[in-house]
Amino acid sequence: MLSLLVAAAVVIWFVLLYPLARHNLATETGPLNAPITVPIVLVAAFALMPLVFNVPREDGNAVLEEGLSASNIVTLVMTGLMGLYLALRIAVDRRILLVPFSMPYLPFTLMIGVNIASTAWSIVPMYTAYRSVELTIFYLAVILIFDREDIERRLAGLFALFTIAWLVAVAPIMLGNFASGIVFSAAKHNIVPHLCATYAFLVIFDDRIRHRRAHLLLALVGFVIAGSASSTGSLVAAAPALMVASRNRRVRILGYVAFALVYALFVVLMLGLSAFPALLDLLSLVLQKPAEELAGATGRGTFWPIFIEGTKDHMVGSGFSAADRFIQLLVPPAFYTDTLGKDGMAIQSSHNMLLSAWAGTGLIGLGFGALVLASAVQWGLKLDKAGRRFVATCVFFIILNGMTTPGIFQDWNLHVLSFVAMLAYARIGALRAEAPGRERAGAGAALPVEAALRARPSPAWRAS
């Protein structure tokens, strides 16, 4: 009965109360155009450091007992420095607190609010509190970097900067594998391919970008070197995404249907690839990965049931990030070791975006996950042809890619960076598209984005 009441409350929130919340919370502000040097340095350094609280251990609970490693402490310090810098910037420009409540950022911002609230029922409250604060700080930092009036012109260059920084950081590993004849996945990374794919989609679809061939080559190099098999497979999302980006309503509907079919096929192949030996051998050859690893989805088909078993009765989750990292606290030890063995105790993520959302904040997390992704597509459809294709392809790609990665619903990572960068591109592009309408309704002079926004009435509460 309690589960039914919780489910009903969540449905009522998203159907009735979210539109009301959006009406009262949404802000209308111009591009931040903030200084970006310090945020880029701190964000890049943080992204390239080992994950916070990631210490060598045989028991998944050891992080609670062994404390932090030196690298963990460094990332904590960087989080503090980024927070201090944000505080100083907010003192200068209060709009930094308002822009995250603009569309299409607002759903993601509200989702972070729920993550923070989940500290109250988290299985490891301090961990959830820290992860929520960390996500908030670096979410704002990414908005500082990308929310700018000239983002269409600068986005490719910013993506290039982060890609080059990663390639430099992994150069020793990459060169060592090159010497052994390994090219694909020479510096294996599950998160970087999404950044590089987003970068490539932008360059492919937006012909206003200068030096497109050089940008596309760099994006391709980063994608291949990071070498994720699931990310490579996720590229099929581009086909239905291009249909959804059409102005024709019937073509859009067919695109959504096609993506649903692609998604179902993706899941079937990921969990049952061994039933197609010829395809398995071909992928093993192309991706330079053992057939056994591809057939078992790198073990995900084994440990996903553990996460489902441990969280099935937690309708509002067990705490943002904590439930994903400390699933051993929710599953009987005997069941865990019988399924995964002793080595499996070190598993610290479901490597699935939807399972992460479910484990952290339950039905609320799944609801916000759907809202965040749907709002991004909806906002992207306000753009020109290049923008519509870019946003739709990025969103569909992350849905498929999120089947085997934490995606944007667990900790802060480069997925969040590239996704928020896409939201910034969509926001500024939509505002620019609306400016001519305001011009015709106004004095007739061309309005830049900032001026166009000032011409729009603001919610009454902002006047205070």
Side-chain angles (χ1 to χ4, degrees):
M1 179 59 71
L2 179 60
S3 296
L4 288 176
L5 290 175
V6 171
V10 172
V11 171
I12 291 172
W13 155 254
F14 283 107
V15 174
L16 299 178
L17 298 183
Y18 169 72
L20 184 63
R22 173 179 168 176
H23 177 74
N24 287 280
L25 294 175
T27 63
E28 296 169 342
T29 56
L32 282 176
N33 296 324
I36 62 174
T37 302
V38 173
I40 284 178
V41 170
L42 289 176
V43 168
F46 182 84
L48 299 176
M49 289 293 291
L51 291 174
V52 177
F53 294 109
N54 184 22
V55 298
R57 59 190 184 276
E58 295 181 356
D59 186 327
N61 301 329
V63 69
L64 302 175
E65 303 167 359
E66 297 176 13
L68 307 179
S69 66
S71 62
N72 303 147
I73 295 173
V74 171
T75 52
L76 284 168
V77 170
M78 284 192 292
T79 301
L81 290 175
M82 191 69 250
L84 179 61
Y85 178 80
L86 279 171
L88 295 175
R89 289 301 311 163
I90 291 169
V92 175
D93 187 355
R94 287 193 308 155
R95 291 183 311 141
I96 294 172
L97 295 178
L98 298 178
V99 168
F101 288 89
S102 301
M103 292 295 294
Y105 299 133
L106 179 61
F108 200 84
T109 302
L110 293 178
M111 186 188 72
I112 292 177
V114 172
N115 293 340
I116 295 172
S118 71
T119 301
W121 62 85
S122 172
I123 55 175
V124 186
M126 288 300 296
Y127 189 81
T128 293
Y130 169 74
R131 282 299 194 187
S132 299
V133 170
E134 175 190 271
L135 175 60
T136 302
I137 287 174
F138 283 97
Y139 171 57
L140 290 174
V142 173
I143 289 177
L144 280 185
I145 295 171
F146 293 103
D147 196 272
R148 46 203 332 102
E149 190 169 351
D150 59 352
I151 189 60
E152 294 103 328
R153 179 176 62 83
R154 300 187 64 174
L155 184 54
L158 291 170
F159 279 151
L161 204 159
F162 283 103
T163 303
I164 292 172
W166 178 76
L167 287 171
V168 170
V170 299
I173 300 172
M174 179 176 61
L175 294 175
N177 282 319
F178 282 170
S180 301
I182 300 173
V183 177
F184 187 87
S185 198
K188 180 73 171 69
H189 201 289
N190 287 334
I191 306 296
V192 169
H194 180 263
L195 170 68
C196 294
T198 304
Y199 180 17
F201 293 147
L202 173 69
V203 176
I204 291 169
F205 297 130
D206 196 336
D207 58 10
R208 296 167 293 187
I209 296 172
R210 299 177 61 186
H211 311 298
R212 292 177 70 198
R213 291 183 179 179
H215 280 298
L216 187 57
L217 177 61
L218 178 59
L220 179 62
V221 167
F223 188 88
V224 171
I225 297 302
S228 166
S230 64
S231 296
T232 304
S234 298
L235 293 175
V236 299
L242 293 179
M243 298 173 67
V244 170
S246 171
R247 288 294 191 193
N248 187 296
R249 182 172 177 271
R250 291 182 179 178
V251 174
R252 287 203 306 271
I253 293 174
L254 287 175
Y256 287 120
V257 173
F259 179 72
L261 294 175
V262 166
Y263 185 84
L265 180 62
F266 189 87
V267 174
V268 169
L269 289 178
M270 187 178 64
L271 297 179
L273 190 56
S274 57
F276 306 91
L279 178 61
L280 178 60
D281 291 339
L282 175 63
L283 292 176
S284 176
L285 177 64
V286 172
L287 303 179
Q288 296 182 295
K289 288 182 175 292
E292 297 78 10
E293 179 180 331
L294 292 175
T298 323
R300 288 171 175 82
T302 303
F303 61 74
W304 277 346
I306 296 289
F307 284 82
I308 295 172
E309 175 65 26
T311 59
K312 65 181 181 182
D313 296 323
H314 299 261
M315 301 297 287
V316 293
S318 302
F320 169 66
S321 195
D324 219 3
R325 286 303 173 96
F326 304 107
I327 189 66
Q328 297 91 345
L329 297 178
L330 297 172
V331 181
F335 176 69
Y336 200 100
T337 53
D338 288 347
T339 305
L340 299 178
K342 186 178 180 181
D343 293 339
M345 294 301 288
I347 291 175
Q348 51 184 306
S349 171
S350 63
H351 293 280
N352 182 289
M353 188 168 69
L354 296 181
L355 278 181
S356 290
W358 163 257
T361 49
L363 288 176
I364 304 173
L366 291 178
F368 268 112
L371 185 63
V372 166
L373 297 168
S375 295
V377 173
Q378 180 185 27
W379 209 260
L381 294 179
K382 298 174 181 285
L383 308 180
D384 58 14
K385 183 178 180 180
R388 295 196 307 272
R389 289 182 168 185
F390 170 57
V391 173
T393 306
C394 288
V395 173
F396 283 11
F397 179 85
I398 198 173
I399 293 173
L400 287 188
N401 196 42
M403 285 299 298
T404 56
T405 66
I408 56 175
F409 302 138
Q410 191 190 1
D411 309 331
W412 186 92
N413 56 58
L414 285 174
H415 282 175
V416 177
L417 180 141
S418 50
F419 185 78
V420 174
M422 180 207 69
L423 293 181
Y425 180 97
R427 178 174 116 85
I428 302 303
L431 295 176
R432 198 180 304 282
E434 292 175 3
R438 294 198 186 90
E439 175 189 344
R440 289 191 294 271
L447 292 174
V449 175
E450 180 74 33
L453 282 165
R454 287 176 182 153
R456 179 188 289 183
S458 299
W461 69 270
R462 284 187 54 209
S464 61

